[in-house]
Amino acid sequence: MSETLARTTNAPATDRPTAESGTTLVQAMGRTYFPLAFVARLPFAMMVVGVLTIVVAGRDSLTLGGMTSGVVGVGGAAIGPLIGAWADRAGQRTVLLVTAAVNSLLLFALTAAVYAAVPDLVVLAIAFAIGATAPQVPPMSRSRLVGVIHTRLPASRRQVILNRTMSYESAADEIVFVIGPFVVGLLAAAFGPAAPMIAAAALTALAVGAFALHASARTTAGTGAGTTSDAAPSAAHQAPVQDLWRARVLVLVAGFVGIGLFFGATLTAMSAVTGDAGHSERAGLLYGFMGIGSVVSALAVSALPARFSLRARWLTAAVVQLVGAVVVATADSTGVLIAGLVIAGLGIGPSLVTIYSLGSHRSPIGRGTTLMTMLGSAIILGQSAASAGTGALADTVGTTAALAMPAVAAGVVLAAAAGNWRQADR
């Protein structure tokens, strides 16, 4: 992935970003930034699937597993934007260090609770707290990068580098969401269902802690201007919070809710498929095929011509995603199912890149981290709702019904893309 960013730059990197050396993105961020930010994303991708895996294995209930995984998402969706707003006001470093420490302890607590004689409600409560304290690495990374691009790079190159950077960030998210479930599947198969949770807790403490302490934590994004201090702009320089609730922003949130619905419905449906075969812990391996298509297409977005507008890209990608979802719903063999997942992924990648690019354009002054966190939380919210709903549907109606849910989610993404067509950005 760093090779993609290296193509945006042509100079050697330094470990500490400085205004003097900030003529290229890798120089400005430091050569350690991108690997570190990538690894720091991994714990959350592991914990969502890990929660589902450990609860299904430990409590023998796909419904409870889906609910618990969903509650993790509800916690993240409910509290995530507040964490983003906190970071906009107090700076990322403190926020990340606090959330990483608390989240690690809660992951250990949930692992113990699943196998203890405690009510399901206690498990659900801990799951909510895990989501609520999940370190918001992806939106904070984007906020840092947007701030650096708009303050340390030549104005003539900013838009090109921003597009490529958003492509990289979306691809990094997708790769992590492929690797996360895959690692969970491998660890659970090799060492038991508790192993992924323990590994996620350790990674949260170490990788997120290192990300918090990186020098780039002093750089945040406001609008296109960015700021460079441990704290973000003062309230006097922030746009009113009402600007985050305008239609041009909410349509982006709706699109990400739809993508989250797709993720949650697909993962839970794959759990039902593999559970029918007696290997529910292998759902992440099957789910990973969707990520393959998404990663490839997300990376390819940077090669698209400028005349292929952002709104047209999103609408086209949403149609491709829906086609893949229909293939998944009607699949009569594992091969066809995998093909449908790959096709759907080819639509998801460009949608993620495009929506984040639109978000960077539409971010109100001083609300960059908040908006990026809202978008990330929208995915989590959709994923949580779909995980719970699809799990219950699989238990009560059957796997065939569960496999139809990704198509419903893809319809939400397409509706949001159509709504975005009327907005100002082209």
Side-chain angles (χ1 to χ4, degrees), residues 24 35 76 85 97 127 169-170 182 208 216 227 236 284 320 356 364 387 397 426:
T24 67
L97 289 174
E169 285 287 295
S170 296
F182 188 78
V208 177
S216 63
T227 59
V320 173
Y356 273 124
S387 294
V397 181
R426 294 293 182 262

Side-chain angles (χ1 to χ4, degrees), residues 83 208 400:
I83 292 177
V208 177
T400 300

Side-chain angles (χ1 to χ4, degrees), residues 264-289:
T266 302
L267 176 60
T268 309
M270 294 307 102
S271 295
V273 170
T274 55
D276 290 345
H279 299 287
S280 61
E281 73 280 0
R282 298 180 183 176
L285 302 179
L286 195 56
Y287 180 77
F289 284 100

Side-chain angles (χ1 to χ4, degrees), residues 5 15 61 64 67 75 107 113 115 134 150-151 213 253 259 263 301 304 319-320 323 348 354 380 412 420:
L5 284 161
D15 283 326
S61 171
L64 181 61
M67 287 179 61
L107 288 169
Y115 292 102
H150 285 287
T151 57
L213 295 173
V253 174
I259 292 176
F263 286 158
V301 168
L304 294 175
V319 172
V320 173
V323 170
I348 292 172
T354 302
I380 299 169
V412 174
N420 180 70

Side-chain angles (χ1 to χ4, degrees), residues 105-396:
L105 294 175
L106 288 168
L107 288 169
F108 284 119
L110 181 67
T111 303
V114 166
Y115 292 102
V118 300
D120 292 345
L121 189 59
V122 173
V123 174
L124 292 171
I126 298 174
F128 178 87
I130 286 173
T133 59
Q136 302 290 324
V137 173
M140 290 189 185
S141 176
R142 286 180 173 86
S143 181
R144 295 186 194 188
L145 290 166
V146 170
V148 165
I149 288 169
H150 285 287
T151 57
R152 302 183 185 180
L153 300 185
S156 61
R157 299 172 55 213
R158 286 175 187 167
Q159 188 57 51
V160 171
I161 295 175
L162 179 63
N163 289 340
R164 291 179 179 176
T165 302
M166 291 301 104
S167 293
Y168 164 79
E169 285 287 295
S170 296
D173 287 343
E174 283 303 302
I175 290 175
V176 164
F177 273 99
V178 173
I179 294 176
F182 188 78
V183 170
V184 167
L186 289 179
L187 289 175
F191 303 107
M197 298 293 286
I198 296 171
L203 269 177
T204 298
L206 297 175
V208 177
F211 179 74
L213 295 173
H214 191 272
S216 63
R218 294 195 304 269
T219 304
T220 58
T223 62
T227 59
T228 53
S229 64
D230 280 341
S234 66
H237 295 93
Q238 284 186 320
V241 70
Q242 292 89 338
D243 285 359
L244 292 168
W245 303 106
R246 296 184 182 276
R248 63 201 307 265
V249 172
L250 293 180
V251 72
L252 305 180
V253 174
F256 267 22
V257 168
I259 292 176
L261 287 169
F262 190 87
F263 286 158
T266 302
L267 176 60
T268 309
M270 294 307 102
S271 295
V273 170
T274 55
D276 290 345
H279 299 287
S280 61
E281 73 280 0
R282 298 180 183 176
L285 302 179
L286 195 56
Y287 180 77
F289 284 100
M290 180 184 70
I292 293 173
S294 184
V295 168
V296 170
S297 60
L299 289 173
V301 168
S302 62
L304 294 175
R307 63 179 178 275
F308 190 11
S309 67
L310 293 178
R311 64 175 186 171
R313 292 178 190 181
W314 184 9
L315 192 61
T316 303
V319 172
V320 173
Q321 181 183 346
L322 181 59
V323 170
V326 171
V327 174
V328 168
T330 58
D332 55 2
S333 68
T334 302
V336 175
L337 179 65
I338 290 173
L341 290 170
V342 173
I343 294 170
L346 291 173
I348 292 172
S351 289
L352 286 169
V353 173
T354 302
I355 296 172
Y356 273 124
S357 294
L358 289 168
S360 70
H361 290 306
R362 299 176 186 178
S363 172
I365 295 172
R367 302 287 182 179
T369 302
T370 305
L371 177 55
M372 292 299 177
T373 307
M374 284 176 62
L375 294 177
S377 297
I379 291 183
I380 299 169
L381 176 63
Q383 186 173 21
S384 66
S387 294
T390 306
L393 191 65
D395 273 345
T396 57

